[in-house]
Amino acid sequence: MSITILYTIITLSAIGATAAIILYFVAQKFKVYEDPRIDDVEGALPGANCGGCGFAGCRAFAEACVKENNLDDLFCPVGGNDCMTDVAGILGLEAVKKDPRVAVVRCNGTCEHRPKTNRFDGASTCAIASSVYSGETGCQYGCHGYGDCVSACDFDAIHMNPETGLPEVVDEKCVACGACVDACPKDLIELRKKFPKGRKIYVSCRNKDKGGVARKACKVACIGCGKCEKECKFDAITIANNLAFIDSDKCKLCRKCVSVCPTHAIIEVNFPPRKIKEIPKKETVEN
Amino acid sequence: MSNLLTVSPSPHVHTDDSARKIMYKVVLALVPAMAWSVFVFGIDALRVTLIAVAACMAFEYLIQRYILKTESTFTDGSAILTGILLAFNVPSSLPWWIILIGALVAIGIGKLSFGGLGNNIFNPALVGRVFMLISFPVQMTVWPTNTQSGIDAVTSATPLAVIKESLKNGKPISEIMPELPTGMDMLLGNIGGSLGEASAILLILGGLYMLLRKVITWHTPVSVLGSMVIFSGILWLINSEGFANPVFHLLTGGAMLGAIYMATDMVTSPMTGKGQIIFGAGIGVITISIRTWGAYPEGISFAILLMNAFVPLINTYVKPKRFGGQK
Amino acid sequence: MLKTFKLGGVHPPENKISANAAIRQLDIPKTVFIPISQHIGAPSVPVVKKGDTVKAGQLIAQSGGFVSANIHSSVSGKVKKVDTIPDSSGYPKMGVVIDVEGNEWEEAIDRSGTLVKEYSFTSEEIVGKILENGIVGLGGATFPTHVKIVPPKGMKAEMLLINGVECEPYLTSDHRVMLEKPDEIIVGTRLLMKAMKVDKAYIGIESNKPDAIKLLKEKVQGYKEIVIVPLKVKYPQGGEKQLIKAVTGKEVPSGGLPIAVGAVVSNVGTAFAVYEAVQKNKPLFERVVTVTGKGVKTPSNFMVRLGTPVSELVEAAGSLPETTGKVISGGPMMGKAIASMDVPVTKGTSGILLMESAESKREKTLPCIRCGRCVSACPMGLEPYLLQTTAEKQMWEETEKNNVMDCIECGSCSYTCPSSRPLLDYIRYGKSSVGQIIRSRKK
């Protein structure tokens, strides 16, 4: 009996030893030198692997950071400025400060505002629907509402609102990685500067049709009338192709444009109620 | 216009066949053999079938409703089919509680744990059957014989078990054969065994019906039975006293049931005809190997399960013939 | 044994309910909208402007590139505007809107119905006339004919295949053209042969049109170089590659054009249009359109001026049934569902199919039961179930490796799926995504 055990131990040890020797030489032969700083940088990153930086994952981003001589074009939107300062510290480089951003869905074509003109009955993804035709409503620029952005989000930060049929961003969770921006075939989602208290003012429309056509398709469409552009004192608003755009980097949240918009296409979020003299009632998107 | 027009990508028409219809066609194909099993084994056969079907449907409903919390699909026909096939694979004397355990394993582990219909790797009925066979070997291998032939419900061994036992004891085939039912008896179903093993001819008839209604293609059954004949034929030609003849292999045990109904299960068989032939050939060879050299007298269940595991591999490497040749 | 292609294929109910309705001339509408992109390739360039008076057959948009086609006015009248209106996909497309006044044709056009059999044109002259008169493939793909019949350098055409298969259920426009214009088709075929410099032509017709087979067989007597080939009824036999396989037994290699096996395929309607263009100087500005469907009062085949809104056709066939659930431009297998009845008839419109709301709804999608029917139905030998999954998961490399680009989008897989899975929806998505990747790689 004891002999059997002995043989077993000897055989197994011999196999183990041989394997160890082979592995040692193999490891020597195929050794790849890696900059140890890559691991350090990777450690400083959030590890979400979302691809928001434009690289395949955090590892690839870390490699790029180590390889480059400056961090001008490299930014991790998830970690933000703090994270980039850490990375810069490790590499002895200068980090670029960027304003934190948040995703905003630029369509307010709820079922009520934008009547349906037909019914889609294909595979329910936005990508397929928009490859087939313009959409279920008269507005060819508006949201399909099949939630490609929702499935693209790794952070559970965007959800469909079943009542409006539109996606809504949860600001606290959004890291501005841009996955939803790429997923939206209608190009409706924009990364905008994050203001304190979650405040934002934006044109919730992407309709480039002429005023009449746009209005017919959707009650809250931007008709490109240009009133907001005139009203804005900070040159933050531009009109192109019958569509207004508010540059969030220039916007000072004065709310003047909101009051002049005849179709309520400009939306203000998380502001205190206005003082008496404001008459037009706003649709406020609850977050 | 009052109602909105529908827009969808082409095609705009659809065949009137559906997964549910396919399931019920298979059930229909099994009805004659089921009726025969009741005729041969008496009311017990009906009891086993009903318990198995009810249990499979109930477990599917309960698990989906209370554990997985998904939409219940217990009426889509697949649970009924699993129940019938499970019953076909057990002796009519099996106690009800073993059937329940078998059904639970078949549905719970064999099917739903993989994600439900379409995602299971192994044939659920066979998973249940093999589980029962290994856990309750005694109850699973007590075979009531034909109640019509006079000796009422006396247990006896299946022809395969007899041949295996006798060969082990050194008897040559020529001496064993007279003790066994004739080929005609086996074809018509005058032998002991599991419910569905009784009548080869009715199983073949059901198979032809399925072939005609395009539920199955010829590839799998022909390949399974063909490879069984070829492999056992080679052995038999080498030593006709040491190995049973191919006809005997074809007509006994679960060969027909396995080849026509179990191996052809769409979910667990390859997609292409070529793949199905490879799959079937594997089943045939493994079955004969187990029957000849293995511990169990019958091996088609194991053979099918083993080959089920190869299906993803076969699907990856056996591609259909591409139009215009390979790139 | 009738000839057919080998791999895959399905047999949907034929429903050729308009087969006995003779072609009727549809009244000219009040206004036509003629898109400037009615063909595969570059859009044409408008050469008229607001306020211009035009005659039927007058050039209104010039071919905009090598693969492009001229577009002619289908009516006489005044150009109202050159602007965008939504097309069948709902997206706005550029086009010419013309208010109809009278019915004046260009003088060069021979409006008489007499058959002109004789010709003395050279190949180049024929190609020139085809180019000038804006002939494109009328089977649905609308590939400019003048490009198709001139093989690229290094390739040589050996035979012409005339496609009279019409494998799409419901549609009968090609069938009617064959029955009513057989002589013209034969002349058109001979013209195309002359243009291509080939001495062999086959006309493939499915056996569900025995009258057309019989008639054309009679008419080709005396022309040994043209052979009528009856084919077994199977969808998608009208696909170029499938037709070539069925008639000649040759397989167009993966990713290749029919010319790779020396064949050029043209529709019977195209052959007729070629006859009219060459022998009668008539540009392509009208075509035969089937208006059909189970709820339609009088399923018909109309000769329609291009640019006529779909609603006019439907009205002429006995108004839009209340129960209509879906309007399809083309056949039920490959046609496009349209969201608006204002969409105009274009060169590629072979039929308007009105589907009852009950039959137009898709069944609920169930899990794949891996039955492999899509695999055995695929005429290109692909694995639709696999392509669907890889496309859904956006695994583009896998999708490409499994030959998604070979898909001809015939819809046999979706048709045959017992679980009603939207296979082709995803495969098409995969195909366009992979196509983009391939194009970007070439750059």
Side-chain angles (χ1 to χ4, degrees):
Chain A
M1 190 63 184
S2 61
I3 287 289
T4 320
I5 292 170
L6 198 67
Y7 278 145
T8 316
I9 291 170
I10 291 170
T11 330
L12 285 176
S13 311
I15 293 171
T18 324
I21 292 164
I22 293 170
L23 279 174
Y24 173 77
F25 282 109
V26 170
Q28 285 296 315
K29 180 133 178 80
F30 294 102
K31 195 161 134 186
V32 180
Y33 173 76
E34 248 189 0
D35 196 327
R37 291 181 301 168
I38 294 176
D39 286 331
D40 296 342
V41 174
E42 199 187 354
L45 295 172
N49 283 316
C50 61
C53 50
F55 291 89
C58 294
R59 180 84 192 171
F61 181 69
E63 279 168 14
C65 287
V66 172
K67 216 164 127 197
E68 294 293 321
N69 294 324
N70 59 62
L71 296 176
D72 294 354
D73 297 327
L74 298 162
F75 191 80
C76 170
V78 181
N81 289 329
D82 294 344
C83 164
M84 286 315 290
T85 321
D86 291 349
V87 172
I90 293 167
L91 300 171
L93 296 169
E94 195 77 13
V96 197
K97 284 260 185 263
K98 276 195 185 170
D99 291 325
R101 302 205 155 233
V102 67
V104 170
V105 182
R106 288 182 60 195
C107 177
N108 195 18
T110 58
C111 315
E112 189 190 323
H113 293 148
R114 192 173 53 143
K116 285 196 176 186
T117 55
N118 63 78
R119 206 176 62 83
F120 183 65
D121 190 24
S124 49
T125 77
C126 308
I128 288 173
S130 66
S131 71
V132 173
Y133 74 132
S134 57
E136 281 190 310
T137 67
C139 175
Q140 51 153 325
Y141 302 95
C143 178
H144 279 300
Y146 301 115
D148 279 15
C149 47
V150 177
S151 30
C153 185
D154 285 338
F155 301 92
D156 193 32
I158 191 162
H159 301 281
M160 292 306 295
N161 182 336
E163 260 169 52
T164 57
L166 297 170
E168 285 172 7
V169 179
V170 183
D171 286 10
E172 297 76 43
K173 287 185 181 173
C174 179
V175 298
C177 68
C180 52
V181 179
D182 295 338
C184 182
K186 298 279 188 187
D187 214 4
L188 291 173
I189 306 179
E190 190 203 337
L191 298 179
R192 293 177 71 87
K193 187 175 151 189
K194 212 172 186 170
F195 287 100
K197 296 182 195 160
R199 288 180 178 177
K200 38 189 151 169
I201 291 176
Y202 60 97
V203 183
S204 190
C205 184
R206 293 278 289 169
N207 194 316
K208 290 177 190 154
D209 282 334
K210 282 179 195 140
V213 181
R215 193 68 195 266
K216 201 177 148 203
C218 178
K219 276 185 219 155
V220 292
C222 171
I223 53 173
C225 64
K227 278 188 185 160
C228 49
E229 191 183 22
K230 276 183 209 129
E231 195 70 22
C232 185
K233 286 177 190 142
F234 309 100
D235 286 337
I237 304 182
T238 44
I239 307 247
N241 300 322
N242 307 309
L243 176 65
F245 173 71
I246 305 176
D247 187 342
S248 59
D249 290 328
K250 291 182 185 163
C251 178
K252 301 279 185 253
L253 300 181
C254 71
R255 295 202 271 172
K256 290 246 168 69
C257 51
V258 182
S259 1
V260 295
C261 181
T263 57
H264 307 315
I266 304 181
I267 286 185
E268 55 173 47
V269 186
N270 291 332
F271 281 90
R274 285 169 185 252
K275 281 160 213 143
I276 346 104
K277 68 169 189 179
E278 313 290 346
I279 303 131
K281 201 88 180 103
K282 300 290 113 42
E283 262 97 13
T284 328
V285 174
E286 298 298 321
N287 269 5
Chain B
M1 213 176 310
S2 56
N3 51 343
L4 297 178
L5 287 180
T6 302
V7 175
S8 69
S10 65
H12 307 284
V13 282
H14 190 255
T15 169
D16 59 0
D17 210 350
S18 68
R20 182 186 300 256
K21 280 187 188 164
I22 292 174
M23 296 295 171
Y24 286 117
K25 275 179 207 161
V26 181
V27 172
L28 195 62
L30 283 166
V31 164
M34 210 190 319
W36 180 256
S37 74
V38 176
F39 176 68
V40 174
F41 300 112
I43 202 76
D44 254 358
L46 196 63
R47 175 189 67 96
V48 170
T49 312
L50 286 180
I51 294 176
V53 170
C56 281
M57 289 177 77
F59 282 130
E60 178 143 331
Y61 175 76
L62 293 173
I63 293 173
Q64 283 180 327
R65 178 77 202 277
Y66 294 105
I67 299 176
L68 301 175
K69 302 204 164 45
T70 52
E71 204 182 335
S72 197
T73 54
F74 73 105
T75 51
D76 68 2
S78 70
I80 298 176
L81 190 56
T82 305
I84 295 175
L85 288 176
L86 191 68
F88 268 39
N89 272 299
V90 299
S92 61
S93 57
L94 201 65
W96 61 270
W97 56 272
I98 297 183
I99 305 175
L100 284 195
I101 293 171
L104 181 61
V105 171
I107 294 294
I109 296 175
K111 184 167 151 196
L112 294 179
S113 69
F114 287 96
L117 180 64
N119 298 313
N120 48 309
I121 296 169
F122 301 104
N123 187 325
L126 283 178
V127 172
R129 196 249 159 164
V130 165
F131 182 86
M132 289 190 283
L133 182 66
I134 295 169
S135 312
F136 310 100
V138 177
Q139 288 93 331
M140 281 293 286
T141 48
V142 170
W143 316 100
T145 38
N146 194 337
T147 50
Q148 304 304 307
S149 58
I151 330 150
D152 195 40
V154 170
T155 59
S156 76
T158 58
L160 276 172
V162 171
I163 224 166
K164 182 142 230 164
E165 199 53 36
S166 310
L167 278 174
K168 213 193 263 173
N169 296 337
K171 265 198 203 173
I173 291 282
S174 52
E175 276 178 41
I176 311 167
M177 282 320 260
E179 299 170 18
L180 296 173
T182 62
M184 200 39 118
D185 270 346
M186 293 193 284
L187 188 67
L188 294 176
N190 282 323
I191 51 168
S194 297
L195 258 57
E197 290 175 358
S199 171
I201 192 115
L202 289 176
L203 292 173
I204 294 171
L205 272 179
L208 287 176
Y209 166 77
M210 291 201 293
L211 212 54
L212 217 63
R213 299 301 302 270
K214 299 200 170 124
V215 176
I216 58 171
T217 55
W218 59 269
H219 303 86
T220 313
V222 168
S223 163
V224 172
L225 299 174
S227 63
M228 281 177 75
V229 167
I230 293 169
F231 190 47
S232 63
I234 293 170
L235 294 175
W236 182 65
L237 285 177
I238 293 170
N239 179 3
S240 64
E241 288 297 334
F243 301 102
N245 66 51
V247 177
F248 173 81
H249 274 300
L250 215 53
L251 294 175
T252 52
M256 288 296 166
L257 183 65
I260 300 172
Y261 297 92
M262 313 289 259
T264 54
D265 172 29
M266 292 167 168
V267 180
T268 55
S269 62
M271 291 282 198
T272 57
K274 238 189 299 175
Q276 286 169 0
I277 288 173
I278 297 171
F279 172 74
I283 293 174
V285 170
I286 298 175
T287 304
I288 298 294
S289 304
I290 295 178
R291 283 184 181 183
T292 314
W293 300 293
Y296 285 94
E298 169 60 311
I300 195 156
S301 319
F302 295 105
I304 294 173
L305 287 177
L306 278 172
M307 288 311 290
N308 280 165
F310 280 97
V311 167
L313 199 68
I314 295 174
N315 278 338
T316 311
Y317 288 104
V318 183
K319 296 290 181 190
K321 188 184 172 295
R322 308 276 197 219
F323 186 96
Q326 293 286 347
K327 243 196 257 187
Chain C
M1 252 315 255
L2 288 169
K3 283 186 174 178
T4 188
F5 61 100
K6 282 222 181 68
L7 276 179
V10 291
H11 189 190
E14 290 160 29
N15 284 320
K16 304 268 190 187
I17 44 183
S18 53
N20 294 322
I23 300 171
R24 281 192 286 152
Q25 185 75 42
L26 188 78
D27 292 340
I28 303 172
K30 284 200 184 71
T31 312
V32 292
F33 175 81
I34 305 173
I36 57 161
S37 182
Q38 302 189 23
H39 45 262
I40 287 187
S44 311
V45 184
V47 292
V48 289
K49 54 185 193 304
K50 188 178 167 179
D52 285 0
T53 355
V54 292
K55 287 179 187 168
Q58 185 180 330
L59 186 73
I60 53 170
Q62 182 100 41
S63 165
F66 175 63
V67 181
S68 185
N70 285 343
I71 288 171
H72 302 80
S73 173
S74 60
V75 292
S76 59
K78 205 172 236 162
V79 176
K80 192 178 168 194
K81 57 179 177 178
V82 182
D83 201 0
T84 56
I85 75 156
D87 76 343
S88 60
S89 67
Y91 292 113
K93 292 283 156 67
M94 208 47 156
V96 180
V97 185
I98 303 168
D99 279 330
V100 179
E101 285 162 16
N103 186 15
E104 228 179 295
W105 290 30
E106 282 281 13
E107 272 112 47
I109 304 170
D110 174 5
R111 292 178 73 169
S112 70
T114 45
L115 178 71
V116 189
K117 275 192 176 177
E118 304 312 317
Y119 54 84
S120 55
F121 301 109
T122 63
S123 300
E124 287 70 29
E125 281 170 337
I126 297 174
V127 175
K129 284 205 167 210
I130 290 173
L131 164 70
E132 187 188 315
N133 288 317
I135 310 297
V136 301
L138 295 183
T142 62
F143 192 83
T145 304
H146 65 271
V147 183
K148 202 176 205 174
I149 57 175
V150 181
K153 274 214 177 75
M155 302 224 190
K156 200 184 168 312
E158 281 157 23
M159 67 187 102
L160 170 69
L161 266 73
I162 297 292
N163 187 346
V165 171
E166 202 158 52
C167 57
E168 276 274 4
Y170 287 100
L171 298 189
T172 56
S173 56
D174 289 350
H175 186 186
R176 288 316 302 182
V177 172
M178 284 191 280
L179 287 181
E180 294 178 35
K181 314 277 181 194
D183 294 305
E184 287 86 343
I185 290 173
I186 305 286
V187 178
T189 307
R190 284 169 53 220
L191 285 166
L192 281 169
M193 287 166 69
K194 171 97 188 182
M196 286 163 54
K197 300 174 187 140
V198 296
D199 48 14
K200 199 81 210 162
Y202 301 92
I203 304 183
I205 308 170
E206 279 191 349
S207 60
N208 58 357
K209 294 178 266 292
D211 44 356
I213 296 174
K214 191 164 159 264
L215 184 65
L216 279 171
K217 270 194 174 158
E218 279 167 22
K219 299 284 182 187
V220 290
Q221 273 169 11
Y223 302 109
K224 262 189 286 175
E225 65 277 19
I226 305 176
V227 183
I228 309 294
V229 188
L231 298 165
K232 195 180 153 194
V233 181
K234 191 156 111 181
Y235 179 87
Q237 197 141 239
E240 278 191 333
K241 294 180 177 180
Q242 276 64 37
L243 183 65
I244 294 169
K245 174 77 179 169
V247 173
T248 69
K250 288 182 187 165
E251 277 188 16
V252 179
S254 168
L257 290 169
I259 194 73
V261 293
V264 169
V265 183
S266 235
N267 187 269
V268 283
T270 318
F272 175 59
V274 166
Y275 161 81
E276 288 204 313
V278 179
Q279 303 290 68
K280 303 262 183 182
N281 288 320
K282 186 183 158 196
L284 179 58
F285 64 72
E286 56 182 358
R287 67 158 297 152
V288 181
V289 180
T290 303
V291 181
T292 182
K294 285 184 181 144
V296 176
K297 241 180 246 153
T298 43
S300 321
N301 299 290
F302 293 117
M303 183 62 97
V304 184
R305 299 290 175 92
L306 301 182
T308 307
V310 165
S311 50
E312 300 260 345
L313 278 74
V314 174
E315 211 51 54
S319 81
L320 188 73
E322 272 294 301
T323 49
T324 305
K326 203 188 250 183
V327 180
I328 297 158
S329 165
M333 292 301 281
M334 289 188 77
K336 242 173 125 52
I338 54 177
S340 153
M341 300 295 283
D342 304 327
V343 170
V345 168
T346 62
K347 289 178 180 176
T349 312
S350 47
I352 299 296
L353 169 62
L354 308 181
M355 288 187 100
E356 305 277 284
S357 50
E359 61 174 343
S360 67
K361 294 222 169 58
R362 286 196 180 180
E363 308 261 326
K364 197 176 152 233
T365 302
L366 298 169
C368 170
I369 55 168
R370 315 182 73 73
C371 61
R373 287 189 185 186
C374 52
V375 179
S376 42
C378 181
M380 298 306 290
L382 307 177
E383 296 152 290
Y385 77 97
L386 185 66
L387 293 173
Q388 190 231 334
T389 325
T390 54
E392 193 174 355
K393 303 205 183 310
Q394 313 197 339
M395 296 155 68
W396 303 132
E397 275 173 37
E398 281 293 302
T399 316
E400 188 186 351
K401 216 162 52 188
N402 284 293
N403 304 39
V404 73
M405 295 313 284
D406 279 354
C407 172
I408 58 168
E409 302 181 24
C410 67
S412 298
C413 49
S414 294
Y415 171 80
T416 197
C417 180
S419 288
S420 310
R421 298 182 67 74
L423 294 163
L424 184 56
D425 295 13
Y426 280 101
I427 295 172
R428 216 185 263 121
Y429 171 46
K431 201 178 157 187
S432 72
S433 305
V434 170
Q436 270 172 22
I437 293 170
I438 292 175
R439 275 195 297 279
S440 68
R441 208 183 291 150
K442 274 184 189 154
K443 271 175 200 159

